[in-house]
């Protein structure tokens, strides 16, 4: 990872990234001006899908927004305790490590941090994994078979065995595509000593997300047998 200063911004460029980046690349307005926005994903806030016109690469641009109680005080500013501790730089570094080790995660591109005295805001650019959709979108269309659920369990176990803690493991942060399953959105993720306590809590969070989505859409292709297949794959890994 290389860091570049563009006051009041600091940019971090992923190791091996050949495309030159400047602070404007981390704004949706830059891509809109180039007519290079290829789509959006809208939850509480918008994530932008963009295509670099010269490199012919598809990227995801995400701004870091606060949630919960703190959102009432500041929507996107965080206390600055050092560049390595910022949400974007930490996530970029984790993705860089996992991608280099061959884990199914998006290739990191770069991150931008803007300082406001004691506070900062941040953005990240990652590759858009070709042919992938989030697991929720797949389950809205129809069921996965037993082998696919077990493969998902194996995928999650692989991360857990490495000590990878995903702070928000849910159905929307799992992608499925031609190469199988992948995990995205490693904000607040970290490498920990493997331990049954946090690993089971991680799985419980995922189960709650399935149940929540099933409550909103009863036709969602998820039931108890799906979960048991996932757990069987996880245990066998």
């Amino acid at each position: 990872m290389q860091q570049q200063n563009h006051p009041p911004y600091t940019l971090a460029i992923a190791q091996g990234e050949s495309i030159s980046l400047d602070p404007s690349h981390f704004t949706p307005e830059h891509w809109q001006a180039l007519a290079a926005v290829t789509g959006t994903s809208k939850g509480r806030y918008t994530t932008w899908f963009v295509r670099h016109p010269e490199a012919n690469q598809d990227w995801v641009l995400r701004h870091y927004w606060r949630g919960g109680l703190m959102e009432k005080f500041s929507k996107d500013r965080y206390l600055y305790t050092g560049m390595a501790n910022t949400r974007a730089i930490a996530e970029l570094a984790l993705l860089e490590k996992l991608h280099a080790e061959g884990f199914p995660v998006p290739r990191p591109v770069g991150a931008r941090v803007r300082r406001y005295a004691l506070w900062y805001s941040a953005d990240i650019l990652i590759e858009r994994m070709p042919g992938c959709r989030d697991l929720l979108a797949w389950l809205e269309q129809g069921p996965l078979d037993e082998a696919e659920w077990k493969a998902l369990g194996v995928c999650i176990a692989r991360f857990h065995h490495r000590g990878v803690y995903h702070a928000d493991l849910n159905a929307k942060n799992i992608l499925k595509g031609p190469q199988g399953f992948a995990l995205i959105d490693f904000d607040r993720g970290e490498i920990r000593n493997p331990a049954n306590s946090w690993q089971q809590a991680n799985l419980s969070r995922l189960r709650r997300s399935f149940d929540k989505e099933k409550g909103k859409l009863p036709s969602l292709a998820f039931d108890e047998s799906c979960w048991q297949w996932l757990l069987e794959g996880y245990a066998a890994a």
Side-chain angles (χ1 to χ4, degrees):
M1 181 192 302
Q2 286 183 296
Q3 289 191 15
Q4 304 172 359
N5 288 320
H6 301 257
Y9 298 101
T10 295
L11 300 187
I13 313 301
Q15 189 72 30
E17 180 55 57
S18 60
I19 298 173
S20 178
L21 298 176
D22 63 54
S24 69
H25 286 96
F26 295 86
T27 67
E29 291 79 11
H30 170 84
W31 302 102
Q32 288 170 329
L34 295 175
V37 174
T38 59
T40 59
S41 175
K42 295 187 177 182
R44 287 187 307 117
Y45 299 101
T46 300
T47 296
W48 300 84
F49 302 132
V50 301
R51 184 168 183 80
H52 195 290
E54 296 173 7
N56 290 324
Q57 293 183 14
D58 291 300
W59 293 347
V60 179
L61 172 62
R62 194 176 85 242
H63 188 69
Y64 288 79
W65 298 99
R66 280 195 175 278
L69 181 62
M70 290 303 297
E71 183 183 10
K72 300 180 184 298
F73 301 97
S74 173
K75 289 187 178 297
D76 69 344
R77 296 192 185 183
Y78 302 85
L79 181 65
Y80 183 81
T81 61
M83 191 58 64
N85 297 327
T86 60
R87 304 280 278 258
I89 302 300
E91 183 173 359
L92 190 75
L94 180 57
L95 283 175
E96 218 171 16
K97 177 185 287 290
L98 294 176
H99 190 265
E101 293 180 6
F103 280 84
V105 298
R107 180 181 65 84
V109 176
R112 179 186 77 163
V113 175
R114 179 170 187 172
R115 291 286 305 279
Y116 304 88
L118 296 177
W119 306 91
Y120 75 91
S121 63
D123 309 88
I124 193 169
L125 277 168
I126 61 174
E127 74 165 340
R128 187 177 185 185
M129 300 181 78
C132 290
R133 292 186 295 158
D134 69 65
L135 182 55
L136 182 60
W138 283 98
L139 297 178
E140 288 172 347
Q141 295 297 312
L144 306 185
D145 62 29
E146 178 180 348
E148 289 173 308
W149 282 107
K150 288 182 176 179
L152 175 56
V154 170
C155 176
I156 295 170
R158 182 184 174 198
F159 281 91
H160 281 182
H161 293 162
R162 176 63 177 85
V164 180
Y165 169 74
H166 192 295
D168 190 19
L169 188 61
N170 64 59
K172 292 183 180 179
N173 286 335
I174 298 171
L175 299 186
K176 180 179 178 295
Q179 304 303 316
F181 294 98
L183 300 188
I184 60 171
D185 194 355
F186 282 84
D187 180 24
R188 297 177 293 117
E190 60 184 8
I191 303 290
R192 297 179 171 182
N193 290 326
N196 187 64
S197 56
W198 68 258
Q199 292 166 343
Q200 291 304 311
N202 226 207
L203 288 173
S204 295
R205 185 183 187 90
L206 177 59
R207 176 60 196 258
R208 289 194 299 273
S209 86
F210 283 127
D211 291 341
K212 178 182 177 181
E213 299 298 341
K214 181 76 172 181
K216 293 191 291 187
L217 183 67
S219 63
L220 191 75
F222 174 80
D223 57 25
E224 188 60 34
S225 62
C226 301
W227 184 248
Q228 291 306 313
W229 289 331
L230 185 153
L231 293 181
E232 287 175 21
Y234 182 91

